[in-house]
Amino acid sequence: MLDLFFKGGFAMYPLLALSVVTVAIGIERVIYLRRARTDASEFMGVIHGLLSRNALDEAYKHCESTSGPIAGIIQSGLKNQRRGRQEVVRAIEDAGALEVAKLEKGILVLQTISKIAPLIGLFGTVTGMIRSFQAMGGAGGENPRMVAAGIAEALVATAGGLVVAIPAYFLSFYFMNKVGKFLLDMQKSSIHFLDVLGDLEEKVAERSQRLDTIGGDYLEV
């Protein structure tokens, strides 16, 4: 394997660096997304139950004890609940944008590597072919080993670029698909939260109105 690497010429060194970056990002993203994964239905079921009892503090603490982007945006909404619905929506949008940035971290780098690696391999191919033609011109085609070395460099560099680019492209597609699922759960959870919070605000308003009416009737008596 090392012999094959060295046959690829100097183009193999940047490809090696890109492969290390790809592996590092892939491992880090797998760990992060696994930790961020939350059962949205179960989590929102708990939040729904707590909000239906007007237990806002308990709901906030439940968000604090739960990892993942969904808990983060709901926590942000609860934190701004007393400031009005518009502030809650704004806080959810801001928290959602921040969570999306965290989820998409490193994906752009993988997409860039998947496009750059084949170009580096192609550059190695060109330099390898140049070496072959130089060997043919210098030795008059009488030294097949020198010609073969240049051709080997060209082919190995091309293969090296593809070996790096294909996994990088696959990982970027895989992680974007995962992020898409997170976004869908975040949107559904945000809508659910706003609906439940609206129902709670209506119940509180109706209760306050009944208390005012009862108090007014009592005073008239």
Side-chain angles (χ1 to χ4, degrees):
M1 184 64 72
L2 284 176
D3 183 59
L4 190 63
F5 174 84
F6 290 121
K7 284 182 179 179
F10 69 90
M12 298 299 290
Y13 293 96
L15 290 176
L16 177 62
L18 293 179
S19 66
V20 172
V21 173
T22 300
V23 172
I25 293 176
I27 294 174
E28 187 273 335
R29 285 293 86 190
V30 167
I31 295 174
Y32 179 83
L33 294 177
R34 182 171 295 179
R35 290 179 177 176
R37 186 171 53 192
T38 305
D39 189 333
S41 300
E42 180 180 350
F43 175 77
M44 290 308 301
V46 175
I47 295 296
H48 191 162
L50 292 173
L51 291 182
S52 63
R53 295 188 285 108
N54 199 17
L56 297 175
D57 292 337
E58 294 182 27
Y60 187 85
K61 291 179 180 178
H62 182 65
C63 291
E64 281 186 324
S65 62
T66 305
S67 61
I70 296 176
I73 61 177
I74 300 302
Q75 181 181 355
S76 181
L78 288 170
K79 186 177 181 180
N80 293 271
Q81 184 269 334
R82 300 181 185 277
R83 299 180 180 179
R85 190 174 182 85
Q86 290 185 349
E87 286 297 318
V88 172
V89 173
R90 183 192 61 79
I92 289 176
E93 290 177 349
D94 292 343
L98 181 61
E99 294 295 339
V100 169
K102 292 179 181 178
L103 290 171
E104 293 181 345
K105 179 183 177 182
I107 295 179
L108 180 59
V109 177
L110 291 176
Q111 292 175 341
T112 303
I113 290 175
S114 68
K115 295 178 180 179
I116 289 179
L119 296 178
I120 296 176
L122 179 61
F123 182 72
T125 302
V126 173
T127 57
M129 295 305 295
I130 291 174
R131 284 186 56 189
S132 296
F133 284 113
Q134 286 179 339
M136 292 176 63
E142 298 176 0
N143 193 344
R145 288 187 178 180
M146 295 180 64
V147 177
I151 295 176
E153 178 180 335
L155 296 177
V156 172
T158 302
L162 294 176
V163 166
V164 175
I166 292 173
Y169 178 80
F170 172 77
L171 287 174
S172 65
F173 177 80
Y174 173 78
F175 291 137
M176 283 301 297
N177 186 47
K178 288 290 185 181
V179 171
K181 293 180 180 179
F182 273 102
L183 290 176
L184 182 61
D185 287 339
M186 290 164 61
Q187 291 174 351
K188 289 181 179 179
S189 299
S190 299
I191 295 172
H192 187 183
F193 170 72
L194 291 174
D195 290 340
V196 175
L197 192 62
D199 293 339
L200 174 62
E201 291 173 349
E202 290 179 2
K203 291 180 181 179
V204 172
E206 291 176 0
R207 182 180 179 184
S208 299
Q209 186 177 4
R210 287 198 301 268
L211 290 175
D212 292 341
T213 303
I214 293 174
D217 292 342
Y218 178 77
L219 291 174
E220 288 180 1
V221 173

